[in-house]
Amino acid sequence: MTKRFQLKAQRIFSEDLRRQIVGQIERKELTVLQAVREYGIGGKQTVYTWLYKYSTTLKKGTRMVMEKDSQDNRVQVLKGRIKEL
């Protein structure tokens, strides 16, 4: 029984290109999946690693806290707007 091994070509992306891709994702010009497909990146996890490393807003282990009062206030404003319409 002979096993065949295929070597996979490894692509190396410059830091500038990584930052550019992260910027496009942050500006919502691309999704993570679109970036993987368009640039031929190995997988989604690679892009998330770049996001955690180069993103100005997304850092691993950070949490976004939403205040309940601000959400309730927003809901009331939107309900008032619906009544006006």
Side-chain angles (χ1 to χ4, degrees), residues 5 11 14-15 19 21 23-24 30-31 36-37 39 42 46 49-50 54-55 58 60 63-64 66 74 76 81 85:
F5 295 99
R11 295 188 64 190
S14 69
E15 186 173 337
R19 289 180 187 274
I21 293 168
Q24 287 178 329
L30 285 177
T31 65
V36 168
R37 289 179 181 159
Y39 290 97
T46 302
T49 302
W50 296 350
Y54 301 114
S55 175
L58 178 65
K60 197 167 194 171
R63 294 182 186 190
M64 183 180 288
M66 297 292 291
R74 184 163 188 252
Q76 293 302 322
R81 181 99 195 267
L85 296 174

Side-chain angles (χ1 to χ4, degrees), residues 19-72:
R19 289 180 187 274
Q20 178 185 346
I21 293 168
V22 168
Q24 287 178 329
I25 293 170
E26 286 182 329
R27 291 187 300 272
K28 297 185 182 357
E29 295 171 5
L30 285 177
T31 65
V32 172
L33 190 56
Q34 287 172 335
V36 168
R37 289 179 181 159
E38 185 172 320
Y39 290 97
I41 301 168
K44 292 189 295 185
Q45 187 57 46
T46 302
V47 177
Y48 282 111
T49 302
W50 296 350
L51 281 167
Y52 293 136
K53 187 172 183 179
Y54 301 114
S55 175
T56 57
T57 57
L58 178 65
K59 297 295 178 194
K60 197 167 194 171
T62 58
R63 294 182 186 190
M64 183 180 288
V65 178
M66 297 292 291
E67 293 183 24
K68 184 180 183 304
D69 292 338
S70 66
Q71 288 285 45
D72 289 342

